[in-house]
Amino acid sequence: MAGGHWGPLLTALLAARVAAAAEGGPEQAALPEERSWVRPMTASNWTLVMEGEWMLKFYAPWCPSCQQTDSEWETFAKNGEILQISVGKVDVIQEPGLSGRFFVTTLPAFFHAKDGIFRRYRGPGVYEDLQNYILEKKWQSVEPLTGWKSPASLTMSGMAGLFSISGKIWHLHNYFTVTLGIPAWCSYVFFIMATLIFGLFMGLVLVVISECFYIPFPRHLSERSEQTRRAEDAHKGEQLQDAEEEKDDSNEEENKDSLVDDEEEKEDLGEEDEAEEDEEEDSPAAHVDEERSDGEPDPADTEAAEDTLRQRRSQHADKGPSA
């Protein structure tokens, strides 16, 4: 009977102790972290931004300016449904290929995408400015990234590959120097040797590919091509020789023509000289006649003068006796 009375009592005491232990135990488990509305973008899902309207932020964990805009970016992402826009972020350390595809050179960097057309947002990463940028459609006044600058172009795809390779090399260098403790100069020597070996290997691959795709011509075709080449060279030589001979002939004809012209000019000059000499010979005779006419009187003139004098004398004589 005693055992029957104490059984329920012991059970109640144990239950009270368990409740007290539960009240004095550790605090309640922490609430789960609030879900982020910003979508991380990687090289595998970045093509989602080609459809619809997006805003992207490129950041780095060590960048103080990027950390200052984190809260504003989260607030902007929460209101994405109201603004009808998706919000994403890209860690350039983890995704160097995407930073190369968008050619990000400063952090933080913001981009707006509308149906595959990208524009660079250069305003502050403040919620009010971002909201007005979408509501007032200020992005329409910004020149889009077109042509080779577009992240979807073939050029920027190659740039993404280069940035991705450089990021892997940087991670490998950190693994050698930080994790394994290898000196930095040893890591540099390793990369130099690897570059040389890789270059030689690629050259060998190109030579093999060229040998595989090279189709040699048959021997008779090669001989014919050699003969035709020689015939063409001989024909060209003959043409050049003929051209030189024609030039020589034309030069000789020109020289002959010039000589003939010179001779004709000399003959003309000789005839003119003879004519001048004849004129000079005639001119002295005329001068002599003129001198004679001026110096000595003509006999006919003297006789006429004497006749007139005689007539006058006779007239005076006749007049005298009559008077």
Side-chain angles (χ1 to χ4, degrees), residues 298-314:
D298 194 1
D301 294 336
T302 55
E303 289 179 356
E306 289 178 354
D307 292 335
T308 56
L309 288 173
R310 288 173 183 174
Q311 290 176 1
R312 287 178 182 177
R313 286 176 183 177
S314 63

Side-chain angles (χ1 to χ4, degrees), residues 85-291:
I85 189 172
S86 301
V87 181
K89 62 181 180 180
V90 180
D91 186 354
V92 297
I93 303 300
Q94 299 297 329
E95 299 294 334
L98 282 180
S99 64
R101 184 178 293 276
F102 285 82
F103 201 70
V104 176
T105 56
T106 57
L107 294 175
F110 304 96
F111 287 88
H112 173 267
K114 177 69 173 178
D115 296 330
I117 299 175
F118 298 87
R119 292 174 173 86
R120 181 75 179 265
Y121 172 76
R122 299 186 181 277
V126 183
Y127 169 70
E128 289 80 6
D129 294 329
L130 294 169
Q131 184 178 8
N132 294 332
Y133 187 78
I134 300 301
L135 292 176
E136 298 177 5
K137 295 184 178 181
K138 294 181 179 180
W139 50 268
Q140 293 180 351
S141 61
V142 181
E143 184 179 0
L145 301 176
T146 57
W148 66 272
K149 294 182 180 180
S150 176
S153 65
L154 183 62
T155 306
M156 301 313 292
S157 298
M159 189 69 69
L162 291 176
F163 272 64
S164 179
I165 292 172
S166 65
K168 292 179 180 179
I169 292 173
W170 182 75
H171 285 297
L172 187 61
H173 175 72
N174 286 339
Y175 175 76
F176 287 157
T177 56
V178 177
T179 305
L180 301 180
I182 298 174
W185 65 270
C186 293
S187 178
Y188 295 149
V189 171
F190 170 77
F191 285 115
I192 291 171
M193 296 299 296
T195 303
L196 293 174
I197 294 171
F198 181 76
L200 294 173
F201 176 75
M202 289 301 297
L204 180 61
V205 170
L206 292 175
V207 170
V208 172
I209 292 173
S210 63
E211 289 291 336
C212 292
F213 288 96
Y214 174 71
I215 301 175
F217 291 100
R219 185 174 180 180
H220 63 279
L221 293 177
S222 62
E223 290 178 354
R224 288 181 181 177
S225 62
E226 184 69 20
Q227 291 177 357
T228 54
R229 186 180 63 81
R230 291 178 180 177
E232 289 177 356
D233 294 339
H235 183 64
K236 289 180 180 179
E238 291 177 357
Q239 289 180 351
L240 292 173
Q241 187 175 0
D242 294 338
E244 291 178 355
E245 290 178 355
E246 290 178 357
K247 288 181 180 179
D248 294 337
D249 295 337
S250 62
N251 292 329
E252 289 179 358
E253 292 178 356
E254 290 178 357
N255 293 329
K256 289 180 181 179
D257 294 336
S258 62
L259 290 174
V260 171
D261 294 336
D262 293 339
E263 290 178 356
E264 291 178 354
E265 290 178 357
K266 288 180 180 179
E267 290 177 357
D268 295 336
L269 292 173
E271 292 177 356
E272 291 178 357
D273 293 338
E274 291 177 357
E276 291 177 355
E277 289 178 356
D278 294 337
E279 290 178 356
E280 290 177 355
E281 289 177 356
D282 295 335
S283 60
H287 288 300
V288 171
D289 294 336
E290 291 178 357
E291 289 177 354

